[in-house]
Structure formats: structure tokens, C-alpha cells
Amino acid sequence: MRSDQMKKGVERIAHRSLFNALGLTEKEIGQPMIGIVNAQNDIIPGHLHLDDVVEAVKAGVMMAGGTPFVFPAIGVCDGIAMGHEGMKYSLISREHIADSVEIMAMAHPFDALVFVPNCDKIVPGMLMAALRLNIPSIFVSGGPMMPGYYDGKKLTVSNSFEAVGAAGAKKMSDERMKDIELYSCPGCGSCAGMFTANSMNCMTEVVGLGLPGNGTIPAVHAARIRLAKEAGMKVMELLEKGICPRDIVTADSLHNALTADMALGCSTNTVLHLPAIAHEAGLKIDLNEINNISKATPHLVKLSPAGEDCLVDLWQAGGIPAVLKELDDHGLLNTECMTVTAKTVGENIEGAYIKDTSVIRSFEAPYSKDGGLAILWGNIAPDGAVVKKGAVLGEMMVHKGPAKVYNSEEECMEAIMGGKVVSGDVVVVRYEGPKGGPGMREMLTPTSAIAGMGLDSSVALITDGRFSGASRGASIGHISPEAAAGGLIGIIEDGDIISIDIPNNKLELMVDENIIAERSSKFVPLEKPVANGYLKRYRKMVTSANTGGVFAD
């Protein structure tokens, strides 16, 4: 066993004495030692209840003859960090989480790991760690939040963000604003729509590192606790059979994940995180391949913010297994991929079916014939940009308008709330990329303000930053190369015409090439000052968004 390094032999007398200090019996010391990575904290609603999930995991490990050890991981609540300097620390926490898990698992050589995340950067950070360490591992998330209800309609956190714009435009009463504030997030769990946290928990299930139900069983349901116990028992089977993360995460299983991503209409952040996860496995995701998969995969599920349904509705409609079965029935899945059930994808989804076609549509009646995400290319984004096209109104799929240019999210929000952004505009927010921010902030606050003001049918927003999964509308992010790296987005001026053609994957600055060349020859990227610390180190090490924003090797 891997843990023998710290507990066997005469030379480990001192080590065993330290285990004795923990109150462990000789039997417990002799059993396989299982690390449980617990992301619980008291400030993220999605993580508030994770101690209960971890206790269930511990019970499962002990029932199967293992000795569990819990250690922590940090987490940032993207919603609470949104719209201020705190958002610069969200994406960068992903690398910190991966590194800290590596440190703990190498300093204390556990035989296997159980990861208990729930929210945005915590899930991919832990997935990166699992692939890097490549010891038997399994994931069990805390599960999605239930939707809130107001005036007979479902609410999610996106409603509360959009209330900012509606209130600012005097389109909402103070009473309604307060009710949305009170009822949009009714309790623990990752926010109820197909935002980044739930997207990544679903991707974990699809790629094979989470048990069926990992992405959709609600946080408050007893089935979530049963799933955690099963995960604790199953990790012991993975250990016995020697099944490791890189046996599961392969080129084929990543293709499955991207296929399901298109069918589900997941967050644009999956295009940032899946390449980073693949990188840890020694694999590469080509952005061109994402468009090829999208063109072959119909959009079958439209959850909030693109639609009215939430994760609980997807779960009740058959969950991820039902979606995968529909994809497999039409030849779009690699069903021989191994999973943490110790069975293949095909074995896992045998017998799965769609229970509610109003939530999971069939191939014959999709929301659209192609997938929910698209990669755009053009002179603004020669290395690519991403849009959640499943959440774009039909009238904005093709748009041409004058640029309104801002060098920060704060400048942009001041202009939006001040009425300076009008119908037809293309808002440009730059110097918010991985290096430029630094930290690649999410632009949920401005996109929600635009939607709340009723401008999402006539205004687009493009950025070298990124978006929350709760953003909707013609929100185009991850523009690469970013302004801070000399990208063309850095030379756009107010009034320049920008052309967006999502069906044809185009994003172009409609300015004469000679003028572009002249501006480029004089362009010196802005470098925002940052204090000494993690942000400064991050800026030096991070790569472009089109490579997943990973650290340079």
C-alpha cells in the first residue's frame, strides 16, 4: 500500500506513535488510509453542508474496511466575490486548490482519495489534483440548491443579479426587489441553474470520476447522503482494482464530456476548465474540436439561465444518465470508457431513459440542432472566444454595432448604470483576462445589468475576461490573445463597428487593415498595478484562456 511509506517497519516507530496520538487502533493503522478532501466553509452556501456529506463518506470508507482522514481545501464563492476586487481571486484559487491537495497527498501518502467539492473553481481544482496525483480517487459533490419561488415562478441567483439592472432602470419596485433578494437562494447547495458549479459537477459525472447522480441529486435530498456513503465504499473497490483517474479520464471520456456539455448547454467556463483538466492528464483539447462536436450534438436541455428549469428538474427527468442514453442511442458516445463505478459508461446507462421530455428533449425535438456552446474566431480572437449560444436570443445571433470600450469591469458598470450603453451597442471590456486582470474576472454583474434593463435583445458584450454560468445574452468571453498580451481587443476604439456571427463562428473588427496595422504599431498594453502576493505571482505564471489559463510548465 502507498501508505506503508509512513507506517510500516522499525524505522516508522515515530510515525506510528503520531498515529497513536490521533487515537487510532492498531487495526486502523494497518488498514488502507483514505484521504478525504473537504471544501466545507461557512461562507459558500454550496459548501455549508459539506461536513454532513463528509461524515457519510467516512462512514462508507469505514464500512468497506478503510481508515478515513479529512483535510481541508479553500473555496471562493463566485457570487459573493462578484463585481469587486475579490473576483480576481476566484479563478486563481483553482491552481492553489490543486497545489494544496498535491501537497497534502504527497506529504501524507494516502492510498486513495475522496474529493468533496461543490462550487465553481473548487471542482476543477480538485479534478486537476486528482489527475496530477493519479491515485485511486472518486468525487462526490454537495449537490445543487433547490430553486426559490416567487409569484408562482422559479427563482435562481441569476434573478437576483438581474434585479440590479431592473432596479437601476426603475423597472422593478422596491418590494419586488426585496422579495427576489429573500427568495432566490433558499438554502444550501450550488446555485440552482446550469451555472459553472453544476456544469462542472455534471462534467465530473460524465467524464467518469463521479457516481451517477453526482451532478443532479439536490443538496437537501437524502439520496445525496446515500451517494456519499456509496462513494466512500466505492473508493475502496477502486483501490483494490487499481483503477486510477488517468484510466478514466482519456481522450474518449473527454469527448463524451464535451458532447454532453453541448447537449446540456453548460457554462462557458467548462471551455476554460476542461482543457486545464486535460492538461494534467497529459492530453489536449483543441477548440476547433469543440465546434465540430457542437455541430454534431443537438441542444437537449435548457436550464436556468437559458430556460426556466433547474437542476432538480433535470434530476427528476432522469438526470445525466438519461441524457447520455439519448446521446448513445444516436451514436455520439464512447461507451467503453471506464468510470468510478468500476463499470463502463455503457453499463452505467443501461436502462436509463428520459422521464420528462419537457426537460430533456429527444433528438427529434431539440432546442436546436447543434450544441449550447460555440467557439468564435476572427481578427479580434485569432486564438478563439467562447459564447453560450444556447442562452442567446435569436435576434442577437447575428449582430453588428458600434463599440463602447472600457478598460475594466468597474468602468463598464458605471457606464451601464449611467445610461451610456444603448440599444445596438457592442460593449467591450478588456484588461480583464488571466494576465490583464489579473485573474480573469467574471462579468456577471454587467451582463445581468444589461439583461435586467431589457437590453439583452439589442446589446452584446465581448471581453477577454469570462462569464459566470448565470450570464445570458450575447456574452462573448475568453477572447484570445487578451489585451494585456497584445491582442487586437486592446486597439478597439469607441465607435468601431464589430460584427458578431454566432452561427458561422465569426467575431470581427470591421476596421480597415491599414488602420489596424497603424494602431497595432503604436500599441503598448496597459499593465494594471498589483500588490506583492499571489496575484503578482499568478500574472507571471498564467497562460492564455485558450489553453485553459493553466500555469506555464
Side-chain angles (χ1 to χ4, degrees):
M1 291 189 294
R2 189 169 180 266
S3 62
D4 286 349
Q5 299 174 58
M6 58 180 173
K7 66 185 184 183
K8 272 207 168 182
V10 174
E11 65 275 18
R12 296 293 180 256
I13 292 173
H15 299 64
R16 291 193 294 275
S17 70
L18 292 167
F19 284 123
N20 289 332
L22 296 174
L24 296 181
T25 64
E26 190 172 337
K27 180 181 180 181
E28 288 172 305
I29 295 171
Q31 291 177 159
M33 292 185 166
I34 311 300
I36 303 174
V37 193
N38 182 10
Q40 194 280 336
N41 64 46
D42 290 346
I43 198 165
I44 306 179
H47 289 208
L48 187 64
H49 63 303
L50 290 190
D51 280 346
D52 292 335
V53 177
V54 166
E55 285 302 314
V57 171
K58 288 171 67 178
V61 169
M62 289 187 286
M63 283 190 285
T67 302
F69 296 86
V70 180
F71 62 91
I74 66 162
V76 171
C77 178
D78 277 28
I80 294 172
M82 197 73 66
H84 56 86
E85 285 292 296
M87 179 45 67
K88 291 183 177 181
Y89 288 85
S90 171
L91 178 61
I92 75 175
S93 71
R94 186 187 72 181
E95 268 55 37
H96 178 92
I97 290 164
D99 291 348
S100 64
V101 173
E102 177 192 355
I103 288 167
M104 287 296 292
M106 294 304 293
H108 317 96
F110 299 110
D111 296 300
L113 294 170
V114 182
F115 292 85
V116 186
N118 212 28
C119 291
D120 292 26
K121 308 311 162 295
I122 299 90
V123 182
M126 289 188 181
L127 286 165
M128 290 165 68
L131 270 299
R132 185 184 302 173
L133 291 162
N134 200 37
I135 61 175
S137 298
I138 193 169
F139 282 68
V140 55
S141 77
M145 187 184 290
M146 296 294 288
Y149 291 89
Y150 175 76
D151 202 20
K153 294 183 178 180
K154 293 172 189 168
L155 295 178
T156 70
V157 69
S158 63
N159 296 98
S160 58
F161 273 100
E162 291 180 13
V164 175
K170 307 299 182 187
K171 292 186 175 184
M172 180 180 291
S173 67
D174 289 346
E175 180 182 12
R176 180 174 175 82
M177 180 177 66
K178 188 64 177 178
D179 284 337
I180 288 175
E181 182 181 319
L182 287 173
Y183 301 126
S184 59
C185 296
C188 68
S190 47
C191 297
M194 189 57 87
F195 312 139
T196 303
N198 290 324
S199 294
M200 290 309 302
N201 283 326
C202 288
M203 291 298 96
T204 302
E205 182 177 338
V206 175
V207 83
L209 286 174
L211 294 171
N214 179 72
T216 58
I217 296 172
V220 295
H221 202 287
R224 176 62 54 181
I225 298 300
R226 293 196 294 272
L227 189 76
K229 290 178 181 177
E230 290 171 8
M233 291 185 281
K234 187 60 69 173
V235 79
M236 298 300 293
E237 183 180 349
L238 296 174
L239 174 60
E240 181 184 354
K241 293 181 176 179
I243 299 173
C244 295
R246 293 191 194 179
D247 301 319
I248 293 170
V249 178
T250 63
D252 284 344
S253 67
L254 287 168
H255 188 280
N256 286 347
L258 289 168
T259 301
D261 193 343
M262 300 308 150
L264 293 165
C266 292
S267 165
T268 54
N269 280 316
T270 59
V271 180
L272 194 65
H273 298 317
L274 288 174
I277 293 159
H279 177 76
E280 294 289 352
L283 302 168
K284 186 177 181 180
I285 290 176
D286 184 345
L287 295 188
N288 282 298
E289 184 62 16
I290 291 175
N291 277 341
N292 293 336
I293 293 171
S294 182
K295 288 173 183 176
T297 309
H299 189 186
L300 304 180
V301 178
K302 197 171 252 194
L303 305 187
S304 175
E308 298 298 319
D309 292 324
C310 294
L311 265 291
V312 62
D313 303 300
L314 177 57
W315 176 57
Q316 292 171 336
I320 299 302
V323 176
L324 296 182
K325 187 66 166 63
E326 184 70 7
L327 294 172
D328 180 44
D329 285 347
H330 292 82
L332 293 183
L333 279 193
N334 296 293
T335 56
E336 294 305 310
C337 296
M338 179 54 61
T339 74
V340 289
T341 64
K343 298 178 181 178
T344 64
V345 170
E347 291 172 305
N348 288 346
I349 64 175
E350 188 177 353
Y353 65 97
I354 299 172
K355 299 177 183 178
D356 186 344
T357 55
S358 71
V359 178
I360 305 172
R361 292 195 175 185
S362 67
F363 250 64
E364 292 69 36
Y367 285 101
S368 66
K369 292 182 178 180
D370 51 7
L373 296 180
I375 307 299
L376 308 186
W377 311 91
N379 60 359
I380 298 177
D383 293 334
V386 63
V387 63
K388 187 173 183 174
K389 71 184 187 67
V392 179
L393 293 173
E395 55 266 43
M396 289 300 292
M397 295 294 282
V398 177
H399 179 76
K400 190 179 291 184
K404 291 280 179 69
V405 183
Y406 307 100
N407 287 338
S408 70
E409 180 186 6
E410 288 82 2
E411 285 183 21
C412 175
M413 273 304 295
E414 184 178 350
I416 292 170
M417 300 306 286
K420 295 180 181 178
V421 172
V422 299
S423 179
D425 284 345
V426 177
V427 176
V428 179
V429 186
R430 62 194 181 193
Y431 296 107
E432 290 290 3
K435 290 183 183 293
M440 203 179 184
R441 288 193 287 182
E442 289 181 341
M443 301 292 120
L444 176 58
T445 303
T447 59
S448 296
I450 288 168
M453 290 177 171
L455 293 172
D456 56 318
S457 61
S458 60
V459 171
L461 189 151
I462 71 172
T463 181
D464 52 11
R466 60 195 178 91
F467 296 106
S468 164
S471 289
R472 62 185 176 95
S475 304
I476 299 166
H478 304 197
I479 288 175
S480 301
E482 61 178 298
L488 188 141
I489 188 174
I491 65 166
I492 299 173
E493 296 181 0
D494 284 342
D496 287 347
I497 300 301
I498 293 173
S499 174
I500 298 166
D501 185 347
I502 296 172
N504 289 303
N505 305 100
K506 294 290 186 182
L507 178 64
E508 296 281 348
L509 176 64
M510 308 299 287
V511 171
D512 185 88
E513 289 184 8
N514 292 326
I515 295 174
I516 290 175
E518 182 183 355
R519 290 183 193 174
S520 296
S521 68
K522 299 175 182 177
F523 177 48
V524 178
L526 170 69
E527 184 170 319
K528 296 178 182 177
V530 292
N532 286 328
Y534 192 35
L535 277 179
K536 193 168 186 178
R537 281 180 275 138
Y538 182 85
R539 171 182 277 171
K540 290 180 180 178
M541 299 172 70
V542 71
T543 60
S544 177
N546 67 297
T547 61
V550 298
F551 283 168
D553 290 330

